[in-house]
């Protein structure tokens, strides 16, 4: 039997690579070494690229292309694996169909599930409630370990615990991803401005200017009409920009709320276009926090995010 007939066909290598990635493709053609190398190299490159951030094309909306990323990954996998198809013999145990399926699933799906559940999870911003800190089309990572873990940390509530474990209390000014008790299937993102026991009232600012608020200019957007930009500084020193579009709106003046134990008061930075704890959302239980927003890595609509790359400390510059 010749080497070509004992090797995998290019068509089968392409098919397996398209669905199983380079790792699955290299296993299928019989190269465990290249499978491991590709897995480590691609994982390291992905982490590095996400940390640095993806480039944007100013003013060009690529949101449609974002949904096609899986096709691009599949094509990349095919191009990477197929040239090696006839160089190896699939005579190893891991090159058999069931073994490839199991190993590729463990290396990709379970690894991704573990990272998204316990380390970092990506989120996209579909609405303007956190402008100017988070723009529509932004993609960010939320730290899952920042606040510890609850059943909301893992998709479908698969972590069978009550409350939180390995917990660390949030700080005022944190940008948090969370789920409303009345809508546990949807992820929301707002800023934490009130801790348990705090008294929060909006009177042209938080607590009648007990929180420092100063005007810093204006904001330009095709979707938001001539808003004022104000610099808000919390008592712990965290500072960020907020928008004030309408003077004296319903959300600018509210009744006082004492934040109950184990709950947090959330506000959007776009104060006149945010459904948050001032309204029917109410305060959010600690258990419902999903993670802490820490870093932007792309904007699909071509909006520059270099000045907003990191979400810790002084934000919204």
């Amino acid at each position: 039997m010749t080497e070509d007939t004992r090797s995998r066909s290019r068509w089968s290598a392409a098919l397996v690579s398209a669905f199983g990635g380079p790792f699955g493709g290299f296993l299928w053609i019989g190269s465990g070494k290249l499978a491991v190398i590709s897995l480590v190299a691609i994982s390291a490159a992905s982490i590095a690229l996400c940390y640095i951030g993806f480039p944007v094309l100013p003013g060009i909306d690529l949101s449609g292309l974002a949904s096609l990323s899986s096709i691009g990954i599949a094509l990349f996998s095919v191009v990477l694996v197929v040239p090696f198809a006839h160089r190896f013999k699939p005579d190893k145990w891991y090159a058999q169909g069931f073994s490839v399926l199991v190993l590729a699933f463990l290396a990709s799906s379970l690894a991704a599930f573990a990272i998204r559940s316990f380390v970092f999870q990506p989120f996209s911003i579909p609405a303007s409630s956190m402008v100017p800190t988070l723009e529509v089309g932004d993609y960010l990572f939320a730290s899952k370990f920042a606040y510890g873990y609850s059943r909301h940390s893992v998709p479908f509530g698969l972590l069978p615990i009550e409350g939180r474990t390995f917990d660390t209390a949030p700080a005022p000014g944190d940008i948090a991803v969370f789920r409303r008790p009345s809508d546990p299937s949807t992820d929301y993102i707002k800023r934490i401005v009130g801790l348990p026991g705090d008294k929060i009232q909006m009177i042209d600012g938080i607590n009648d200017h007990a929180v420092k608020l100063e005007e810093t200019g204006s904001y330009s957007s095709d979707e938001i009409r001539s808003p004022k930009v104000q610099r808000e500084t919390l008592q712990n020193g965290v500072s960020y920009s907020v928008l004030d579009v309408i003077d004296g709106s319903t959300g600018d003046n509210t009744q006082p709320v004492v934040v109950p134990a184990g709950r947090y008061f959330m506000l959007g930075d776009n104060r006149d276009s945010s459904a948050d704890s001032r309204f029917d959302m109410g305060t959010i239980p600690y258990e419902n926090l999903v993670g802490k927003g820490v870093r932007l890595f792309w904007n699909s609509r071509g909006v520059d995010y270099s000045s907003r790359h990191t979400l810790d400390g002084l934000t919204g510059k």
Side-chain angles (χ1 to χ4, degrees):
M1 184 177 291
T2 64
E3 181 177 341
D4 284 343
T5 58
R6 294 184 60 186
S7 301
R8 300 294 191 193
S9 71
R10 288 186 171 89
W11 287 108
S12 68
L15 184 63
V16 174
S17 301
F19 289 95
F23 181 76
F26 282 126
L27 289 179
W28 175 247
I29 66 175
S31 178
K33 183 177 181 179
L34 287 181
V36 173
I37 290 174
S38 68
L39 180 64
V40 173
I42 292 174
S43 298
S46 299
I47 293 172
L49 186 57
C50 288
Y51 182 82
I52 296 170
F54 292 85
V56 299
L57 299 176
I60 299 179
D61 189 342
L62 297 177
S63 55
L65 292 180
S67 61
L68 301 178
S69 59
S70 58
I71 297 177
I73 294 172
L75 291 175
F76 170 77
S77 301
V78 171
V79 171
L80 187 64
V81 174
V82 166
F84 294 90
H86 286 174
R87 299 186 186 185
F88 299 94
K89 300 176 182 179
D91 54 359
K92 313 293 191 303
W93 66 269
Y94 53 74
Q96 308 312 307
F98 182 73
S99 298
V100 172
L101 179 65
V102 171
L103 292 174
F105 175 78
L106 291 175
S108 58
S109 299
L110 290 186
F113 180 84
I115 292 173
R116 289 167 62 92
S117 298
F118 300 107
V119 187
F120 293 103
Q121 181 175 351
F123 294 92
S124 62
I125 305 300
S128 60
S129 69
M130 283 295 293
V131 171
T133 306
L134 297 176
E135 299 277 358
V136 176
D138 279 347
Y139 282 71
L140 61 88
F141 284 115
S143 168
K144 286 299 190 71
F145 54 84
Y147 303 138
Y149 307 100
S150 74
R151 61 188 178 90
H152 295 287
S153 302
V154 178
F156 313 113
L158 294 178
L159 194 62
I161 62 174
E162 294 294 330
R164 302 195 78 88
T165 185
F166 302 111
D167 54 308
T168 300
D174 284 359
I175 295 174
V177 179
F178 61 93
R179 293 176 182 171
R180 297 175 58 174
S182 61
D183 185 15
S185 63
T186 303
D187 293 309
Y188 294 82
I189 185 164
K190 306 289 181 187
R191 190 181 297 277
I192 296 176
V193 301
L195 304 184
D198 287 349
K199 183 178 180 180
I200 304 294
Q201 183 177 18
M202 306 299 295
I203 309 176
D204 295 324
I206 301 176
N207 292 346
D208 195 17
H209 300 295
V211 171
K212 185 179 179 181
L213 191 67
E214 52 187 342
E215 294 190 14
T216 59
S218 60
Y219 174 84
S220 176
S221 171
D222 294 336
E223 301 172 355
I224 305 174
R225 299 179 58 186
S226 304
K228 294 185 295 185
V229 179
Q230 298 175 314
R231 193 74 175 169
E232 192 168 82
T233 303
L234 301 180
Q235 293 177 339
N236 63 345
V238 174
S239 181
Y240 47 87
S241 293
V242 300
L243 295 189
D244 182 18
V245 181
I246 304 171
D247 290 331
S249 65
T250 302
D252 287 344
N253 297 278
T254 65
Q255 296 298 312
V257 174
V258 176
V259 183
R263 287 179 171 259
Y264 294 86
F265 195 95
M266 324 294 279
L267 285 179
D269 289 349
N270 186 357
R271 294 292 160 80
D272 293 314
S273 184
S274 175
D276 47 41
S277 293
R278 295 170 295 176
F279 307 111
D280 63 350
M281 175 179 286
T283 55
I284 300 301
Y286 186 29
E287 181 183 13
N288 286 55
L289 299 184
V290 174
K292 176 184 176 182
V294 292
R295 196 174 187 88
L296 297 176
F297 64 90
W298 193 47
N299 182 282
S300 63
R301 301 178 66 181
V303 177
D304 180 55
Y305 62 91
S306 57
S307 63
R308 304 178 289 114
H309 202 171
T310 301
L311 299 177
D312 282 327
L314 297 178
T315 59
K317 289 183 178 180

